[in-house]
Amino acid sequence: MRASQDRSNNDLCRHWGLNHMEKRAHFSSKTVPYLLLLPQLAITLIFFYWPASQAIWQSFLMEDAFGLSSEFVGFDNYRHLFAQPEYYKAMSTTVVFSLAVGTLSLACALLLATQADKKLRGGEAFKTLLIWPYAVAPAIAGVLWIFMFHPSLGTLSQPIRALGLDWNPLLNGNHAMTLLVLSATWKQISYNFLFFLAGLQSIPRSVIEAAAIDGAKPIRRFWTIVFPLLSPTTFFLIVVNVVYVFFETFGIIDAVTGGGPAGQTTTLVYKVYADGRVGGDLGGSAAQSVILMVIVIALTAFQFKFVERKVQY
Amino acid sequence: MAGVSLDTVRKIYAGNVEAVKGVSLGIEDGSFCVLVGPSGCGKSTLLRMIAGLETISGGEVKIGDRVVNEIEPADRDIAMVFQNYALYPHMSVYDNMAYGLKNRKTPKDEIEKRVKEAARILAIESFLERKPRALSGGQRQRVAMGRAIVRKPQVFLFDEPLSNLDAKLRVQMRVEIKRLQRALGVTSIYVTHDQVEAMTLSDKLVVMSGGQIEQVGSPSEVYRRPETRFVATFIGSPPMNILPGKVEGNGRVSIGGQSLSVSDMRDGLAVGSDIEVGLRPEDVRAGATGQLSMNVDFVEELGATQLFHGKLGGADFIVQAPTGQIAADAKQLSLSIDPANVHLFDPQTTKRLGKA
C-alpha cells in the first residue's frame, strides 16, 4: 500500500515535470512554471494594473455632460483640481482623520491585546468578542453608530445633551468628524487587536520572566522589552492602517455622514466618489484617484525606507 | 549571601493537579544544590516557585531569614539562567547584562565596571557590542550567566541551562559553571534531568520523583547508598540491575537459586520472603569462580569499557568491565560481587532494606 502510494506520487511529480528528490523544484518544461504563476499574475493584472492604467488614461480625458464622448485635455483635470479650495480642504480632512483613526485604533488595540494576553478567567470569550466588530460590514457599522448618535433618534444623544453639550453631528462638522473617527476606529480595532495579540504571544515567556527577575516593573517591562519586540507587528499594522484609513473607510463615511455637513468630513477617497459618481466628473475623479494612489505608494515607500530601520526583527 | 530553606512547599494547579507535594529542604549558604529527576517530577516548578515566577500554593520559602512567598521576583535578590537563555534579542550583549543594573538605578560608571568585570570572567569581552542572534549557543549561555553575575545576587537559579548545547560544549560549560560558583561562592540551585550533570556539579544532590523528594545527600552518598529503588536506577549509568530474589537468612539472599552474601541488610527479615536485589553494572566482577552466572546476548563497545547485555535468573542484566578484561565473544559469564555493593529493596514500598 505504502509503496504503491509512493510510486503514484512519483508518477505525479514526473507528470508535472517535478523532481521531488531535491528541495528546489526543477521543471523540465518552460511553460509549467508560468502556468502555476498565472492565477496570481492574472489577479494582479486584472484588479490592479488594468484599473490603475485606466484611471491614469481617464485622468487626461474630459467627458461631455451626457458621457457620450470624451476628448483629450492633457493635464487640465489636474490643473483644475489644484485650483479648488475644496480639494485642499479634503486633504487636510484626510490628514486629521487618518492620524486620529490610525493612532486611536492602534493604541486601543495594543492596550486591549496586552490585557487579553494575561491569563484571565474567560479570556477566550473576551478575545472572541473583541474580534467580532471586524465581521460587521462597514455600512452596517455606520448605521449602528447613527442609531446611537443621531441628534434626534440616537440612544446616546439624549444623555450627551443632558451633560450640557449641544450634540449634533448633522450640523456640526467637529461632531460629525468625532463620530466618524469613533466608528472607523471601532471597526479597525479588531484587526489590529488580532495581530497585536499574535505578536505578544510570540514573545517567549522566559524573556518577560527574565526581565521581571531583572527588576523591571510591568510598565517598564512593556516599554523596554515588549514594545521593541512587537515592532515588526506594529510596523506591518501602520502600513495596513494607512491603506485602511485612506481607502477602506469609504463605506463608513458614506453611511455615517455622507461627507457632510457641507463637505466637512469629505476625505480624499470620498471626494473621488462624490465628484466622479455623483458629480459625473469622471476625468477629475480619475485625476484624484491617481493622486491618491501616488500618495499611498509614497507613504508606504517612506515607511519601508525610514520607519522599518527602527524595527527589531 | 544567603541560604535557602523550603518548608512543606506545595504547588497545586487548576484542576487539583498537585505538581509539588510538600517539599522540605534546607540549602546551606554558598553551596551548590542540584535538583534532578525525570521530566514532570516537579523540579522546575519548585525552582520557579523559589524564583517567584509561580505562586506558592502552600508552605514557606525562605531566602536568608526572609520569607519570600509574597515578594516579587525582582525583590528576592536572585538571578536566573534559563534553558533557552532568554536574552533580550533587541539589545546588545552589553545592554543585556546592564539591564538589571539600570532597572536598579545603579550609577553608570558602576554598571560599566561590573559588566566589564563579568565579561572578563566569562571571556565574552570581544562581543559586547553584538546582538544575541550573532552569537553561538555557548556564547549566548555565557551572556545569560553574565547577566546573572553582574547583579551580585544572593542566589543563582539555573533551569536546565545546558540542555540546548551540544555534548562537547555541555561538558565544557559544566566545568565552567562549577568553577564560577566556587569562585563567587554564591548559593546555587540547579535543575537538570541529566544525572551526570547532577553528580558532577552538586555539593548537595536532591533526587525528585512525582512531586516529592526521593533522597537528599552528597553525590557519593546518593550513589553508594540509594534510599529507594527509583534513586538506585535513576542515578548511575548504565542503570543499576534490579533482580527479584528471596531472603535466605541474615546477610544472605538468593537470586534464581544462586546464593549471595550481603553486608548492608536489615535484621529480622522473614526467611523466604521476596526482596529486590540491586547490583551496579560496574560493581560486578567476571571471573572463573563466581556466585552468579549470566548468559550474554550482545556486547556494546564504549571505548574504555564494554557493556555485556544478557539474562540472569530470567531478568535483564548488564555488566560493565574495562575493555579487554572479558573476552568479547564470551557466551556465559561467571560473576562475583563484593557483599558491600549489594543493595536490597522492599518490593512493595521500594524503600532500601539496609541496616537501621
Side-chain angles (χ1 to χ4, degrees):
Chain A
M1 186 65 201
R2 187 61 204 262
S4 74
Q5 261 176 5
D6 281 355
R7 199 170 312 124
S8 68
N9 274 342
N10 280 339
D11 289 347
L12 201 66
C13 291
R14 217 168 294 129
H15 177 70
W16 285 100
L18 287 166
N19 181 354
H20 87 308
M21 294 304 285
E22 292 180 40
K23 270 192 179 164
R24 278 181 61 178
H26 288 274
F27 298 98
S28 51
S29 83
K30 285 211 163 157
T31 46
V32 174
Y34 289 105
L35 264 173
L36 293 173
L37 282 175
L38 195 62
Q40 180 62 49
L41 288 175
I43 286 171
T44 319
L45 281 174
I46 295 171
F47 292 103
F48 180 70
Y49 286 102
W50 187 57
S53 53
Q54 282 282 304
I56 293 170
W57 172 239
Q58 188 113 47
S59 72
F60 296 120
L61 300 179
M62 172 99 86
E63 307 234 336
D64 71 74
F66 303 101
L68 296 173
S69 65
S70 54
E71 74 177 294
F72 187 81
V73 293
F75 283 95
D76 271 6
N77 284 326
Y78 291 92
R79 249 174 248 129
H80 177 66
L81 204 55
F82 285 111
Q84 285 179 33
E86 292 87 4
Y87 193 61
Y88 295 103
K89 167 69 184 151
M91 272 196 186
S92 64
T93 306
T94 308
V95 170
V96 171
F97 178 68
S98 317
L99 281 177
V101 173
T103 317
L104 269 178
S105 65
L106 285 170
C108 293
L110 183 54
L111 182 70
L112 289 170
T114 49
Q115 299 311 307
D117 192 36
K118 293 176 181 166
K119 279 183 201 155
L120 294 174
R121 197 183 290 269
E124 289 306 311
F126 286 128
K127 285 172 203 166
T128 312
L129 286 175
L130 281 164
I131 293 162
W132 269 2
Y134 195 60
V136 179
I140 295 179
V143 171
L144 285 175
W145 284 83
I146 289 180
F147 280 153
M148 287 192 283
F149 289 103
H150 189 279
S152 47
L153 301 173
T155 45
L156 292 179
S157 296
Q158 292 302 329
I160 293 175
R161 288 238 179 82
L163 290 173
L165 183 73
D166 186 18
W167 174 255
N168 195 338
L170 296 189
L171 296 176
N172 185 321
N174 288 337
H175 292 178
M177 181 54 101
T178 310
L179 181 54
L180 207 54
V181 167
L182 281 177
S183 43
T185 302
W186 175 78
K187 191 76 186 65
Q188 187 64 4
I189 283 177
S190 304
Y191 184 88
N192 296 348
F193 168 79
L194 207 60
F195 277 87
F196 274 134
L197 187 63
L200 286 170
Q201 286 173 348
S202 71
I203 297 176
R205 198 150 287 274
S206 60
V207 171
I208 311 286
E209 288 172 348
I213 290 176
D214 259 344
K217 297 280 182 279
I219 304 261
R220 184 167 163 78
R221 215 145 67 207
F222 178 80
W223 289 113
T224 54
I225 307 287
V226 176
F227 192 68
L229 293 181
L230 265 185
S231 59
T233 309
T234 313
F235 175 67
F236 163 78
L237 284 177
I238 288 173
V239 173
V240 168
N241 277 265
V242 163
V243 175
Y244 166 78
V245 290
F246 268 80
F247 293 114
E248 288 170 41
T249 46
F250 166 80
I252 231 163
I253 297 174
D254 197 44
V256 176
T257 65
Q264 296 225 47
T265 56
T266 298
T267 61
L268 288 173
V269 70
Y270 197 76
K271 194 167 163 54
V272 170
Y273 163 79
D275 289 1
R277 179 87 194 159
V278 183
D281 177 12
L282 290 186
S285 160
Q288 289 180 34
S289 58
V290 170
I291 293 169
L292 194 53
M293 187 167 73
V294 170
I295 292 175
V296 172
I297 289 174
L299 268 178
T300 309
F302 172 83
Q303 286 163 351
F304 270 96
K305 189 141 176 63
F306 296 104
V307 183
E308 203 191 14
R309 280 190 197 153
K310 303 213 185 298
V311 173
Q312 314 279 348
Y313 285 109
Chain B
M1 302 298 143
V4 175
S5 71
L6 311 177
D7 184 20
T8 55
V9 171
R10 285 172 199 287
K11 179 70 193 182
I12 300 163
Y13 283 111
N16 241 351
V17 182
E18 201 170 8
V20 177
K21 301 170 181 168
V23 167
S24 299
L25 179 67
I27 299 161
E28 295 75 22
D29 186 6
S31 72
F32 201 123
C33 173
V34 176
L35 307 178
V36 67
S39 47
C41 73
K43 58 191 189 299
S44 276
T45 309
L46 194 60
L47 189 79
R48 291 169 58 82
M49 284 196 283
I50 298 170
L53 300 173
E54 298 276 351
T55 55
I56 297 163
S57 313
E60 204 174 75
V61 175
K62 268 170 135 179
I63 297 176
D65 297 326
R66 194 166 60 134
V67 177
V68 295
N69 283 32
E70 302 300 327
I71 293 176
E72 289 289 317
D75 303 325
R76 292 190 182 194
D77 207 2
I78 48 151
M80 186 154 166
V81 178
F82 292 83
Q83 179 178 355
N84 60 0
Y85 322 126
L87 298 178
Y88 313 124
H90 57 297
M91 295 184 195
S92 67
V93 168
Y94 183 94
D95 288 333
N96 261 283
M97 294 206 276
Y99 185 71
L101 297 172
K102 279 183 194 156
N103 289 337
R104 286 175 173 78
K105 309 254 185 308
T106 314
K108 220 165 175 182
D109 47 339
E110 172 72 11
I111 293 181
E112 187 164 341
K113 209 182 92 200
R114 289 218 218 162
V115 172
K116 290 272 161 69
E117 168 74 5
R120 192 186 53 74
I121 295 172
L122 293 163
I124 51 176
E125 289 154 302
S126 54
F127 35 80
L128 280 177
E129 297 313 315
R130 283 199 218 162
K131 292 275 175 69
R133 67 167 167 273
L135 304 178
S136 69
Q139 291 166 337
R140 286 180 204 188
Q141 194 55 68
R142 276 165 208 266
V143 177
M145 293 200 319
R147 193 168 64 180
I149 66 177
V150 287
R151 294 234 327 269
K152 302 192 175 161
Q154 298 206 319
V155 182
F156 284 144
L157 305 174
F158 297 89
D159 189 7
E160 309 216 13
L162 304 183
S163 40
N164 281 8
L165 301 177
D166 65 52
K168 193 176 164 204
L169 207 49
R170 204 177 302 159
V171 174
Q172 191 188 333
M173 290 300 287
R174 194 174 79 202
V175 174
E176 285 189 30
I177 288 179
K178 182 83 177 170
R179 189 173 294 145
L180 195 64
Q181 198 270 343
R182 283 271 181 281
L184 300 172
V186 176
T187 314
S188 299
I189 306 175
Y190 187 108
V191 161
T192 181
H193 62 263
D194 181 321
Q195 49 113 356
V196 179
E197 258 171 50
M199 291 290 286
T200 50
L201 284 172
S202 58
D203 301 322
K204 182 175 227 166
L205 183 58
V206 179
V207 185
M208 289 185 70
S209 161
Q212 281 168 319
I213 292 181
E214 291 275 331
Q215 188 172 359
V216 181
S218 72
S220 64
E221 272 166 24
V222 173
Y223 175 81
R224 282 182 210 292
R225 205 168 183 281
E227 287 300 331
T228 65
R229 189 180 60 195
F230 174 82
V231 176
T233 51
F234 191 80
I235 298 293
S237 173
M240 184 188 280
N241 299 296
I242 302 284
L243 300 167
K246 296 242 184 272
V247 177
E248 274 194 348
N250 263 356
R252 287 208 83 77
V253 293
S254 71
I255 301 167
Q258 308 172 88
S259 181
L260 205 60
S261 68
V262 187
S263 41
D264 186 24
M265 182 170 178
R266 186 157 304 171
D267 296 327
L269 292 172
V271 173
S273 61
D274 288 331
I275 199 159
E276 286 185 333
V277 182
L279 305 173
R280 289 205 184 272
E282 58 272 34
D283 289 340
V284 183
R285 298 272 167 272
T289 54
Q291 305 106 300
L292 302 170
S293 75
M294 167 196 175
N295 295 316
V296 179
D297 292 336
F298 61 94
V299 181
E300 277 183 313
E301 298 284 349
L302 297 182
T305 59
Q306 289 172 313
L307 299 182
F308 293 79
H309 291 257
K311 294 259 189 259
L312 197 159
D316 289 333
F317 201 85
I318 305 173
V319 172
Q320 183 172 28
T323 300
Q325 200 181 69
I326 306 173
D329 58 354
K331 286 285 156 244
Q332 190 137 39
L333 297 179
S334 181
L335 304 174
S336 60
I337 187 154
D338 184 338
N341 290 334
V342 181
H343 309 266
L344 299 178
F345 302 99
D346 187 316
Q348 261 80 50
T349 64
T350 78
K351 293 250 186 305
R352 185 180 185 92
L353 292 174
K355 286 207 159 60

